[in-house]
Amino acid sequence: VTGSESPLTYRDAGVDVDAADRFVAAIAPLVRATHTEGVVGHPSRFAGLIRADVGGMGDPLIAATCDGVGTKVLLARSEGDFEALGRDLVAMNVNDLLPVGARPILFLDYLAVGRLDSERLVQVVRGAAAACREAGCALLGGETAEMPDLYRPGEFDLAGFAVGVVDGERLPDPASAGPGDAVVALSSTGVHANGLSLARRALFERAGFELDDVIPVLDATLGATLLTPTAIYVDDALGLMDAVAVKAAAHVTGGGLLGRAGAMLSGGLTVRIDPDTYARPPIFDLIASAGDVGDDEMAATFNMGLGFLGVVSAGDAAAAEEMGWLHVGEVVTGEPRVDLGYARR
Amino acid sequence: VTGSESPLTYRDAGVDVDAADRFVAAIAPLVRATHTEGVVGHPSRFAGLIRADVGGMGDPLIAATCDGVGTKVLLARSEGDFEALGRDLVAMNVNDLLPVGARPILFLDYLAVGRLDSERLVQVVRGAAAACREAGCALLGGETAEMPDLYRPGEFDLAGFAVGVVDGERLPDPASAGPGDAVVALSSTGVHANGLSLARRALFERAGFELDDVIPVLDATLGATLLTPTAIYVDDALGLMDAVAVKAAAHVTGGGLLGRAGAMLSGGLTVRIDPDTYARPPIFDLIASAGDVGDDEMAATFNMGLGFLGVVSAGDAAAAEEMGWLHVGEVVTGEPRVDLGYARR
């Protein structure tokens, strides 16, 4: 069948197993530095093992979530950019554990690449490992898939998975919220990792900006602004939950501030957010202007400057503010929609 | 900035949020059907919650793993193919929990697509849900990312993530193995989801086969043979571990039978597998012949017909055989390499 052609190898097929081994060796110390006390070693390398600290919990539950960073990967060019993406990947996942009050214990990454560019991927893992340390979770494993026929050279995708633990007796209970409760929030660092497809269309295709353009109102390049990693809210969110009763919470991701705030409560309750209570990062108005994007579309796509929301009793709002939270609005009765009060400025 | 162009929306940017909502609604009953007793509902949808059944465990540990199905996604065309891929995705992950003896409790999927083709993706989830039921784990959540600028229409990638629990007092201990121990194995259903890049190069590029070709020795089309889903070894592996002391175990994935058998033991021990103890599926010899692939390269890439390996005392081999395992070889002293004894047949 094969005629005079040379024997085919896995490497001929675009998969460099030796490069993969070198990559694994390069990231090993980064990964080990994230290993918390609970991590259990085992010579079998198929799965990571960790002993969850659930002492004192009346009803220990496991929380699990999965997320990627979307088309934000298309913006990365420098080493620092790739490190930022790794940090984003962890942040997007561990933050998703917080609305139920779960403390992150482990994270796994899935790196899909066309060709294994070890330097870039090591930067991704470096950023992920640093973020895991900040979030207090172990980077317990992951998968790096080299798929030359699925991804073009230089193309790649990132997905992550996080697991946390929470006491089932202490889950936030949105049904306990009522009119007059306070809505508190944590600032976002920018667009985080949602809405990038729309942002790129508006800024680069419609308005003709380039990544290296320095935008005066941003006081930075567009690339640096868009690639600012997602904030990690673990300490702030769990700290507030330890201090006061948080009735509902939301990580402001897909669906934007409108979608996530709108889904936080039910039963005829909604939230009203006063846009004058916080400084909206200028990148959002730049995107809106560049793409002539409507207010509702902006609010249904982007976090608009608020990355995490919580609902607490009005009497607890001051305590939240002392802990660094913004008091941005209140719970009101009404149709389950959100009036963000945005007028184009 | 925008001149006379119409306002830009997220949908213009290639992201159809309504289609995503319809997809989520379509898969909801499939997902719910996997929900085991431990699944805990919560109005917050950012993370799934599950109560792990760790009763009776002296040292409950959480095991976590991440894997994809590689370039196998490039072969799928029919509805049944996509269902098979979903099954593969679960199998590749839950099987990775078994070498440490962990029982799968939850699975999450990451579906990355260029455009949300709801019918195909529902089939993927249908297959994943059926596999989760077979593996006894809940399909607790997942992420579907529509990224038109990263994946061409019709292109997609799948990654999965599984969590299990195991008693730390009952982990397999490879250091307890010694010369004369028996190597037992479970048959694979074919190539599973490793080595597809090499298989495609050999079969389609070198030998000029097509997916629809009926190959007499396979008694099926090449497409159907290659897309046969990975076997799920949960019941067989945990059943053996409940019955006898399994000293070491391996899921035969990346690195092939050579790599995975070779890494199963250390300390001057290796395993000898007798190729005459089991029927090697003919697809492997077809790939080797089509690509003139050497024996070592085949064994270092493919499972060669054995999907899962275990090491037990010689006296326990008969019990394993009664439970459906193959007695394929033994533990021997020697350099940590594996003599598979393959001669091209």
Side-chain angles (χ1 to χ4, degrees):
Chain A
V1 181
T2 56
S4 62
E5 291 177 283
S6 61
L8 197 61
T9 67
Y10 207 27
R11 184 168 195 153
D12 295 332
V15 179
D16 188 344
V17 175
D18 292 337
D21 288 345
R22 285 195 302 273
F23 169 68
V24 170
I27 64 173
L30 302 172
V31 170
R32 262 198 308 273
T34 71
H35 282 186
T36 49
E37 197 183 353
V39 173
V40 175
H42 190 267
S44 158
R45 300 299 194 85
F46 296 92
L49 286 168
I50 191 167
R51 184 176 294 116
D53 178 12
V54 295
M57 288 191 190
D59 181 19
L61 302 181
I62 292 171
T65 188
C66 168
D67 207 353
V69 297
T71 55
K72 197 164 181 175
V73 296
L74 295 172
L75 301 178
R77 295 174 306 176
S78 74
E79 285 207 348
D81 293 348
F82 289 95
E83 194 167 328
L85 287 180
R87 189 175 173 81
D88 255 318
L89 187 63
V90 173
M92 290 297 289
N93 279 282
V94 296
N95 289 347
D96 270 355
L97 297 174
L98 304 174
V100 291
R103 179 176 298 279
I105 60 167
L106 72 89
F107 178 79
L108 303 181
D109 60 353
Y110 173 76
L111 314 177
V113 297
R115 196 159 290 270
L116 209 144
D117 180 340
S118 185
E119 279 181 43
R120 286 177 165 195
L121 288 183
V122 168
Q123 291 304 322
V124 171
V125 175
R126 187 183 305 279
C132 281
R133 287 202 305 276
E134 182 173 338
C137 66
L139 179 47
L140 201 59
E143 165 75 2
T144 305
E146 188 175 19
M147 300 188 284
D149 296 323
L150 191 54
Y151 297 88
R152 283 162 287 228
E155 272 192 0
F156 63 105
D157 191 19
L158 304 178
F161 306 91
V163 169
V165 290
V166 58
D167 190 344
E169 296 174 354
R170 294 185 56 191
L171 294 175
D173 178 14
S176 68
D181 280 343
V183 177
V184 294
L186 296 166
S187 297
S188 70
T189 55
V191 296
H192 286 179
N194 284 103
L196 269 299
S197 287
L198 178 55
R200 286 183 302 106
R201 287 270 188 313
L203 296 168
F204 304 127
E205 292 185 14
R206 284 271 177 114
F209 288 122
E210 296 186 3
L211 276 173
D212 290 330
D213 287 348
V214 176
I215 312 289
V217 70
L218 301 179
D219 201 24
T221 66
L222 201 46
T225 302
L226 291 173
L227 279 161
T228 305
T230 301
I232 293 174
Y233 296 120
V234 174
D235 288 347
D236 285 332
L238 297 182
L240 184 66
M241 290 174 176
D242 279 346
V244 306
V246 174
K247 302 176 178 186
H251 179 206
V252 185
T253 54
L257 185 57
L258 189 66
R260 298 278 61 84
M264 195 164 49
L265 298 173
S266 60
L269 293 177
T270 188
V271 308
R272 181 175 301 268
I273 292 174
D274 178 353
D276 294 325
T277 55
Y278 71 99
R280 182 155 78 233
I283 183 67
F284 296 109
D285 290 348
L286 187 71
I287 294 168
S289 165
D292 192 22
V293 185
D295 287 2
D296 284 354
E297 191 75 8
M298 285 297 296
T301 304
F302 296 101
N303 65 60
M304 305 307 293
L306 300 178
F308 199 87
L309 302 174
V311 170
V312 300
S313 296
D316 286 331
E321 286 184 273
E322 275 170 33
M323 298 175 75
W325 290 68
L326 301 157
H327 185 173
V328 296
E330 62 175 337
V331 174
V332 296
T333 54
E335 291 302 301
R337 60 176 296 282
V338 180
D339 177 11
L340 294 172
Y342 282 113
R344 181 72 49 79
R345 288 183 273 195
Chain B
V1 179
T2 57
S4 62
E5 291 177 283
S6 61
L8 198 61
T9 67
Y10 207 26
R11 185 168 195 151
D12 296 331
V15 179
D16 188 343
V17 175
D18 293 337
D21 288 344
R22 286 195 301 275
F23 169 69
V24 169
I27 64 173
L30 301 172
V31 170
R32 264 197 307 272
T34 71
H35 282 185
T36 48
E37 197 183 353
V39 173
V40 174
H42 190 268
S44 159
R45 301 300 195 84
F46 296 92
L49 286 169
I50 191 166
R51 184 177 294 116
D53 177 12
V54 295
M57 288 190 190
D59 181 21
L61 302 181
I62 292 171
T65 188
C66 170
D67 207 355
V69 297
T71 55
K72 197 165 182 173
V73 296
L74 295 172
L75 301 178
R77 295 173 307 177
S78 74
E79 284 206 350
D81 293 348
F82 289 95
E83 196 168 327
L85 287 180
R87 191 175 173 81
D88 255 319
L89 187 63
V90 173
M92 290 297 290
N93 279 283
V94 296
N95 289 347
D96 270 355
L97 297 175
L98 304 174
V100 290
R103 179 176 298 279
I105 62 168
L106 73 88
F107 178 79
L108 303 180
D109 60 354
Y110 173 75
L111 314 178
V113 298
R115 197 159 290 271
L116 209 145
D117 178 341
S118 184
E119 278 181 43
R120 287 177 166 195
L121 288 184
V122 168
Q123 291 305 321
V124 171
V125 174
R126 186 183 305 279
C132 281
R133 288 201 304 277
E134 183 174 336
C137 67
L139 179 46
L140 199 61
E143 165 74 4
T144 305
E146 188 174 20
M147 299 188 285
D149 297 322
L150 190 53
Y151 298 88
R152 285 162 285 230
E155 272 192 359
F156 63 105
D157 191 18
L158 305 177
F161 164 77
V163 169
V165 289
V166 59
D167 190 344
E169 297 175 354
R170 294 185 57 192
L171 295 174
D173 178 14
S176 68
D181 279 345
V183 177
V184 295
L186 297 166
S187 297
S188 71
T189 56
V191 297
H192 287 179
N194 284 104
L196 268 299
S197 288
L198 178 55
R200 288 183 300 104
R201 287 271 189 310
L203 295 167
F204 304 128
E205 291 185 15
R206 284 270 177 117
F209 288 123
E210 296 186 3
L211 276 173
D212 290 329
D213 287 348
V214 176
I215 312 290
V217 70
L218 300 178
D219 202 24
T221 67
L222 201 45
T225 301
L226 291 173
L227 279 160
T228 305
T230 301
I232 293 173
Y233 296 120
V234 174
D235 288 346
D236 286 332
L238 297 182
L240 184 66
M241 290 174 175
D242 280 345
V244 306
V246 174
K247 301 176 179 186
H251 179 207
V252 185
T253 53
L257 185 56
L258 190 66
R260 298 279 62 82
M264 195 165 47
L265 298 173
S266 60
L269 293 177
T270 187
V271 307
R272 180 176 302 267
I273 292 175
D274 178 354
D276 294 327
T277 55
Y278 71 99
R280 183 154 78 232
I283 183 67
F284 296 109
D285 290 349
L286 188 71
I287 293 168
S289 165
D292 192 21
V293 185
D295 287 2
D296 284 355
E297 190 76 8
M298 285 296 296
T301 306
F302 297 101
N303 65 60
M304 305 307 292
L306 300 178
F308 199 88
L309 301 174
V311 170
V312 299
S313 295
D316 286 332
E321 285 184 275
E322 274 170 35
M323 298 175 76
W325 289 68
L326 301 157
H327 184 173
V328 297
E330 62 175 337
V331 174
V332 296
T333 55
E335 290 302 301
R337 61 177 296 280
V338 181
D339 178 10
L340 294 172
Y342 282 113
R344 180 72 49 76
R345 287 183 273 195

